[in-house]
Each structure stands twice: as C-alpha cells, then as structure tokens.
Amino acid sequence: MRKNNFLFAASIIAMAYAPFVNAAKAIDLSQQSAAILQTFAAPAVTSLATKNLPQLKQTSTEVDQNQTAHIRVQEMFAGYPVWGADAVVHVPHATHMTTLKNLPVKNANTTMNGIIYQDLAADLASAPNYIFTSAQADKALQQAAQLFQEKSGNKHAMRDAHTELMIFVDQKNKAHWAFRVSATVQSSDEAMPIKPTYILDAVSFEVYDQWNEVLSLERVLGGGYGGNFNTGRLSYDGLKNNMPKLNMFRLNKACFLQNDTVTVRNAMKRNLVIQFSCQTPVVVHDNEYWDESIEAVAGAYSPANDALYVGKIVSEMYQNWYGAPVLVLKGKPMMLNMRVHALDEEGKVMENAYWDGKQMSFGDGGKEMYPLVSLGIAAHEISHGYTQQHSGLTGNDKSQPAGLNESFSDMAAQAAEYYASGKNNWQIGPEVFKVKGQALRYMDQPTKDCVPGAPKNECSIDNVKDYTAKLDAHYSCGVFNKAFYLLSTSKDWTTKKAFDVMVLANKAYWTKTSTFQQAACGVMSATKALHYDAAATKAALNGVGLDC
C-alpha cells in the first residue's frame, strides 16, 4: 500500500504534538479496563490536527458459541498502521452488531488482550516529507531485494512485491516511520517459493526485522499409487483395505510431497521437492488431492509416494515408542530428506540405497530389484543416521563395529514392519526383489543367503565364532540379526521389546568401536536398565556364541 497524498503530514504532526517529548509507551491491554479505549475514540469534531491522533480501527468481529464477541482492532497513526499494535476485545453477551463505538466500556466482564501504544508523536514528528512518496517506497523495495540477494546468493527476481508505510516501535520503545517490504521469489534451487519480508527504516533503510513469510501454505491430505510389480499396486487414499492417506503441503494449487517431518526430492532434478498440480480434491479417492502415479519408473508405480509414506512411519515409530525424533539437527527434529531416482558415483542408475550423513537416497533398481523404496529399506537407512548420532559405530567395512551398525539398521527394519503391521517376515528387502521369495538378508536364518559355490566371505554368519576380518559388514551383521530374532521371539517378548533394548544400548552403552562381545554386554546392561527379562537376553546372545 502506498500513500502519495501525505506530503504535508510531518508538519501537521509537529504542530499538533509540539508539547510532547516522551517516547512511545506500550500499554498491555490485558491489564487495563475497556475504558482506556475511549482514549483512542475518534473526536466528535475533526480538524487537520485531530486526523493524526492515534486511533483504533476495527478489523473484524466474531461471535463464539457462548455469545461472546471478539472484536479485533488495529492501532493507526495518521492513517498508517502501527506494527504489533493489534488487540482483541472480548465482550460477553454481544452480537455481530457490537462495535467499538457502542462498546459497553463500563462492563466489568469485558476483557482485552494485545498491545497498543501511546505518545507516538514525539518520535514521529520530524519525519522528512519524501518518505511519503512512491519514489521512497521504490527505493525501499530495491534495498530489500539487494539485501536478500547478498544474504542468500539467490539472484532470482522478486515478484508480487508489496511495500507499505507504517510505524515500527523498537525494543527501546522508540517509534520510527518504516516500510514493510515483501515479495515472492521462485528459485530453481527451491521447489517451494519463498517470501522474504523486511521491515526497513523509512529514511535510512536500517533493517529492524526480517523473515520468510509464506502465508498460503496449507496442510492437506493427498495420495496416489505406490508399490511395484512384486507387491502389487497400492492406493494411498485411506479407503477400506488401502493404504493411509499422505500428509503434504499445498501452495498456489500445487501439492508438494513434503510435510512437517518428511520431504521427498528428485535426485535427477537438482533435488527439487516433488510436486504435482492439485486444483481440487478427487471424490472417488475420498476427497483427497490425487497424484495418480507421479514419478512412476522401472516397475514401481510411484517411489515418491512410497518414500513419503515410509518416512512418516519410521519417524512416527521412533517418536511414539521413544518420545524423541529419530534424527536431530542442532537440537531440533531433523527433516527426513528422501531422495528418489538417485544415481551412483558414475551417474548410472543405482540398484542400492544409502544414508550419506544428511539424507537418504534410493536408486531405481536394475536387473534384480525394483526401486528400493520400501518400509524396511527406509527404516534401515534412516537408522544409520540414528546410530551416527548416538553410539557413532564406525570402522572399516569389515570391522565388527561396522557389522553391528548394519545389524542395528536391520533390526530397525523389522521394528518398523512390526510397528506398521504387528507382524514380521524376518527378511530384509523382499518387497523390492523381482524374484519372489528372494531377499537381501534373512534374520531368522542368516546363512540362507549363501548360494551354492559362493566363497565363505560372501555368506552371512549367525555365530561369532565364524567371524573373520575378511567378512563384509553386510554379512557379519548376521550375528546380531540372529540374536535379535531369538530375543524378539522369546516367551513374553515382542519385536518392540527387543528393539527397546537395542535402541537403549545404541544410545547409552555402545561406543564407536564396540566389538560384538562389548556390544553384548551393552545389550545386557540395557535389558537390566529396562527391567526386562535378563535371562531371555542372555539366552539369545548365547545362541550366537556371545556371553557377557
């Protein structure tokens, strides 16, 4: 909003308020009676001077089920809004016809909340006339654009720019004429547009505040197809016998495969958040925004939809079972970034999935496998992050700590399966194999992956006595995989109880270089700390040659 007809305002304000010297005074309305609102009532007789008195502008009135009217007001000064000076007046036994003008100010039951300011004029009287011109507003916009580009490195042009002159009261209660400048920037590096917003001094362009404001963002339910030729086509629409609906964001009639915990990105398109046009909900899919088979590839109906779903399940499992996010960043829950269509180091289609310390990447498969987006594989990769942020198990890929790291992620895969369905198949990744009945690993019988004629160092083991320094971690993990299976299926135990033990061991008892034997002692300590049956844990560990 620009006002160009106010060139003489500063002199008027100066004449009207010459005697005042105090800085702005903040008034907390929750500590005042409604009578104070009369201070801001429009005078019966107006003049050039009285037009510049602070006034309250009624912006809306809502009446709740208890017949209490909630009147929202905005403080204005000389026709311009005072930033942060908005309040709500609560009037019992009222109607939509209740206004500030007919407000029963003597009613003791009328309450208020919000901040308004008195004595603004002394700080504002000396403003130069040019701040009320469109030319100064344009300069403020140019300054905001320059500040944004310098800080973000984003050189894309601002669009839908809006510049508004207002009054800003700083932390020292000094009032300033200021511009609020906002615009939209659609970057090729960001799938969702951003809305940088600045409050700049109207004279010096000093930055009083700044933030990113996207007001039209909605949280909506959407869905589409998922699964592959092995599992069959899945429908994420919440209908009977189908998969649940998917939580996602909607902005400007586009739905993004992103929510508060999971973001799905396309690794082949500069890691952009995957989106689709969503004009209106689809009735036949229970009135959700439907993306059909977005990003369908290589025998999978939509790895992107699957990634959004499985990320949510793994995040929920850790949060609901252990009261904490699975991953954190700088003390806050970390967004689970799920990259589909990931390529290998040579830029070729990848028949693999991995965690790189910041995000999960899922390949599109190849001769043996469909795209590797399944619940078990996602839980496996995300849980590598959990281990990294807790015990930090590390070492070369043939070390026992590396084998333990792989095993914990396999345990998480089974835990997620149990969380989602209440049962286990004790296999890792069977859903993505093109040959039914085949899997990456078998936790109930780790040695089952050993094909006839294969060298010993390409077969999983299920007892610590068979470990050698030539064995890759994806094979040595069979030791703790089998122990986990034995513990989960023990009398009065469940997959969740067994995972409780392993999570606590990872968090509190394992170290970066824990051997299988040291890890077993950590598992026993965790069992006792949880007051679970230590005899069952001891028996499971003995079953793979470990004893603490």
Side-chain angles (χ1 to χ4, degrees):
M1 180 189 302
R2 296 176 181 173
K3 292 184 180 288
N4 302 323
N5 58 350
F6 206 71
L7 301 181
F8 55 92
S11 60
I12 293 174
I13 295 170
M15 289 187 293
Y17 287 94
F20 295 95
V21 294
N22 294 330
K25 180 180 179 181
I27 305 296
D28 183 354
L29 290 184
S30 67
Q31 305 299 317
Q32 303 291 326
S33 73
I36 194 175
L37 299 178
Q38 292 180 323
T39 306
F40 295 86
V45 179
T46 62
S47 67
L48 287 177
T50 57
K51 285 181 179 178
N52 300 313
L53 285 169
Q55 294 182 4
L56 295 180
K57 177 182 178 182
Q58 183 170 333
T59 58
S60 69
T61 301
E62 293 186 10
V63 179
D64 65 21
Q65 64 273 23
N66 297 318
Q67 294 304 304
T68 296
H70 305 281
I71 304 173
R72 290 191 173 273
V73 297
Q74 168 67 56
E75 183 177 2
M76 308 293 290
F77 181 84
Y80 294 89
V82 181
W83 180 256
D86 56 320
V88 186
V89 183
H90 314 281
V91 187
H93 312 297
T95 69
H96 283 95
M97 302 302 292
T98 304
T99 67
L100 289 181
K101 291 182 178 181
N102 60 26
L103 189 68
V105 295
K106 294 183 179 180
N107 187 340
N109 294 322
T110 296
T111 59
M112 304 176 292
N113 63 276
I115 299 293
I116 58 176
Y117 294 92
Q118 291 180 333
D119 303 333
L120 295 170
D123 292 334
L124 301 173
S126 59
N129 288 338
Y130 63 76
I131 69 170
F132 303 100
T133 67
S134 59
Q136 190 71 354
D138 289 339
K139 288 180 181 178
L141 175 59
Q142 293 170 11
Q143 179 67 15
Q146 181 178 340
L147 290 170
F148 172 73
Q149 292 178 355
E150 288 177 351
K151 183 176 181 178
S152 66
N154 188 326
K155 303 301 182 182
H156 291 80
M158 289 183 166
R159 57 182 176 83
D160 301 328
H162 179 78
T163 306
E164 178 184 27
L165 185 63
M166 64 180 195
I167 288 87
F168 177 81
V169 181
D170 64 22
Q171 293 182 348
K172 295 181 180 179
N173 276 355
K174 180 176 176 59
H176 306 265
W177 288 101
F179 286 108
R180 179 178 181 271
V181 182
S182 63
T184 301
V185 179
Q186 177 68 62
S187 169
S188 60
D189 298 321
E190 296 285 343
M192 297 182 69
I194 58 178
K195 191 173 184 178
T197 303
Y198 294 84
I199 296 180
L200 306 174
D201 186 275
V203 177
S204 68
F205 298 140
E206 175 187 348
V207 178
Y208 293 133
D209 202 356
Q210 64 185 76
W211 63 92
N212 176 31
E213 182 179 79
V214 180
L215 297 178
S216 57
L217 189 66
E218 299 177 75
R219 287 173 171 81
V220 299
L221 293 173
Y225 294 125
N228 56 43
F229 293 169
N230 183 343
T231 63
R233 191 175 71 177
L234 309 175
S235 292
Y236 292 103
D237 58 13
L239 295 175
K240 186 177 180 181
N241 299 323
N242 287 350
M243 303 296 287
K245 295 180 180 180
L246 303 175
N247 294 307
M248 54 184 68
F249 290 149
R250 182 172 183 259
L251 178 66
N252 298 334
K253 297 184 179 179
C255 286
F256 295 81
L257 269 62
Q258 181 181 40
N259 52 49
D260 292 324
T261 55
V262 183
T263 298
V264 183
R265 300 178 181 274
N266 188 329
M268 298 180 69
K269 294 182 180 178
R270 304 185 306 280
N271 286 335
L272 292 179
V273 181
I274 293 174
Q275 61 177 285
F276 62 96
S277 175
C278 53
Q279 302 288 326
T280 57
V282 177
V283 175
V284 295
H285 290 289
D286 199 26
N287 290 301
E288 69 176 7
Y289 294 102
W290 186 254
D291 67 20
E292 193 70 20
S293 295
I294 190 172
E295 304 292 322
V297 66
Y301 296 98
S302 175
N305 286 335
D306 290 332
L308 190 62
Y309 168 72
V310 298
K312 171 180 177 289
I313 293 298
V314 177
S315 177
E316 278 187 356
M317 177 184 75
Y318 277 93
Q319 187 66 52
N320 293 341
W321 280 0
Y322 307 113
V326 55
L327 301 177
V328 296
L329 180 64
K330 296 180 180 180
K332 296 181 179 180
M334 180 177 172
M335 175 65 70
L336 299 186
N337 280 299
M338 315 283 278
R339 299 170 68 243
V340 296
H341 310 313
L343 304 176
D344 63 18
E345 294 178 352
E346 298 179 354
K348 297 180 180 178
V349 176
M350 184 176 69
E351 199 165 25
N352 201 352
Y354 63 88
W355 155 260
D356 66 6
K358 296 181 180 179
Q359 57 194 354
M360 282 61 64
S361 296
F362 304 90
D364 283 341
K367 293 182 179 180
E368 296 184 359
M369 290 181 277
Y370 295 113
L372 284 86
V373 187
S374 69
L375 176 57
I377 292 176
H380 178 104
E381 301 306 337
I382 293 169
S383 296
H384 276 312
Y386 186 89
T387 296
Q388 178 181 324
Q389 294 187 356
H390 291 86
S391 63
L393 288 165
T394 188
N396 69 68
D397 59 6
K398 294 180 175 57
S399 67
Q400 290 191 9
L404 183 60
N405 193 334
E406 288 297 330
S407 181
F408 179 81
S409 283
D410 281 354
M411 297 174 197
Q414 292 304 306
E417 184 180 298
Y418 183 83
Y419 176 82
S421 66
K423 57 185 179 181
N424 293 101
N425 60 20
W426 300 111
Q427 299 176 13
I428 303 299
E431 306 89 355
V432 301
F433 271 88
K434 293 183 176 180
V435 176
K436 286 200 172 186
Q438 190 173 349
L440 289 167
R441 287 178 292 283
Y442 306 86
M443 299 186 73
D444 57 340
Q445 188 183 343
T447 58
K448 186 178 177 179
D449 67 2
C450 194
V451 298
K456 287 186 177 181
N457 64 343
E458 293 182 8
C459 297
S460 291
I461 61 173
D462 59 7
N463 195 291
V464 69
K465 67 179 175 58
D466 297 320
Y467 170 78
T468 72
K470 296 181 179 181
L471 204 59
D472 183 87
H474 293 89
Y475 298 121
S476 67
C477 67
V479 174
F480 264 82
N481 281 3
K482 182 62 178 283
F484 182 74
Y485 164 77
L486 293 174
L487 183 58
S488 298
T489 55
S490 297
K491 183 180 178 181
D492 297 326
W493 281 73
T494 64
T495 303
K496 179 188 180 300
K497 284 185 67 175
F499 196 57
D500 291 348
V501 170
M502 299 301 176
V503 165
L504 182 57
N506 196 335
K507 183 165 61 174
Y509 296 102
W510 295 345
T511 66
K512 289 182 175 65
T513 57
S514 287
T515 63
F516 288 158
Q517 183 62 43
Q518 292 166 340
C521 292
V523 170
M524 288 301 302
S525 296
T527 302
K528 294 174 182 177
L530 292 169
H531 304 291
Y532 287 174
D533 180 9
T537 302
K538 184 177 188 300
L541 293 170
N542 290 167
V544 296
L546 293 168
D547 193 0
C548 191

